[in-house]
Amino acid sequence: MSRIGRKPVVVPSGVTVTSSNGVVTVKGKLGELKEKLHSRITVEVKGNEILVHRVSDARPDRALHGTTRANIQNMVKGVTEGFSKKLELVGVGYKAEIKGKNLALALGFSHSIIFRAPETIKVEAPTQTSILVSGSDRQLVGLVAAKLRSFKQPEPYKGKGVKYENEYIRRKAGKTAASAK
């Protein structure tokens, strides 16, 4: 049996969880999240615990069991605490600023990039060289952060680009002068 899947998800006070017609709904102070369950997985809500069960011990069912439990745990954590990712802009003239509901990025191109985040995601620019992406849906926060990083990925020679806060960029040596003979 899956070691992750068999652990119950503890529901803190202020969070309501319902399961009906193969859909789990989690409501909390930061919003509401829904996830459709696979047909071979069932969810049981007992008091302040959520138990995830599977139909059989087949390998695909075991994989779904742990994944579904982890997703529900992330939903509960998302509506209580939320998730965030911090990005840094490295490079001369690289900057980010909020214009209305959009994020304007100057990344060394001839034009600025205008990015509009999904409604449930909050994008902030605390400084000109940092971006904070936050929200209750862990998967969507990661997706938005990855999209912002994809506009200008860090390059290995000077390290310029958009990178995650604690990301290590492996640096390469530049060209060396040819030896004169």
Side-chain angles (χ1 to χ4, degrees):
M1 186 168 200
S2 169
R3 284 176 280 195
I4 296 291
R6 72 174 158 221
K7 288 171 62 177
V9 177
V10 178
V11 180
S13 62
V15 176
T16 59
V17 179
T18 57
S19 175
S20 62
N21 298 332
V23 177
V24 175
T25 306
V26 180
K27 293 179 187 174
K29 65 179 181 180
L30 296 180
E32 176 181 342
L33 296 173
K34 293 183 181 186
E35 183 175 337
K36 188 174 184 327
L37 297 174
H38 193 275
S39 60
R40 302 188 59 81
I41 299 292
T42 58
V43 171
E44 179 183 0
V45 180
K46 279 188 175 178
N48 69 336
E49 288 185 341
I50 304 169
L51 301 170
V52 180
H53 304 289
R54 63 178 182 240
V55 175
S56 72
D57 281 335
R59 188 177 183 115
D61 293 344
R62 291 195 316 257
L64 283 170
H65 189 210
T67 303
T68 303
R69 189 255 178 216
N71 288 344
I72 292 171
Q73 174 70 41
N74 287 337
M75 290 166 62
V76 170
K77 185 178 177 189
V79 297
T80 55
E81 302 169 23
F83 294 99
S84 66
K85 288 211 179 251
K86 190 170 184 183
L87 298 159
E88 296 173 349
L89 281 67
V90 179
V92 177
Y94 288 16
K95 62 181 181 178
E97 61 180 327
I98 301 293
K99 290 186 177 177
K101 291 186 176 185
N102 299 330
L103 176 70
L105 298 168
L107 299 175
F109 299 120
S110 61
H111 59 284
S112 63
I113 297 170
I114 307 297
F115 179 77
R116 184 174 187 94
E119 292 295 322
T120 58
I121 299 296
K122 185 177 180 184
V123 178
E124 304 172 47
T127 65
Q128 284 189 340
T129 59
S130 66
I131 302 169
L132 183 66
V133 180
S134 57
S136 59
D137 188 352
R138 183 176 187 174
Q139 186 175 0
L140 196 54
V141 167
L143 189 68
V144 169
K147 179 67 174 172
L148 290 172
R149 184 180 182 274
S150 74
F151 291 139
K152 186 83 170 196
Q153 292 186 1
E155 51 96 15
Y157 296 102
K158 293 183 180 177
K160 292 168 42 171
V162 180
K163 69 180 194 85
Y164 295 113
E165 182 179 30
N166 294 321
E167 182 180 6
Y168 173 74
I169 308 299
R170 190 162 169 216
R171 304 298 279 275
K172 290 183 178 179
K175 290 183 179 179
T176 57
S179 60
K181 286 190 180 184

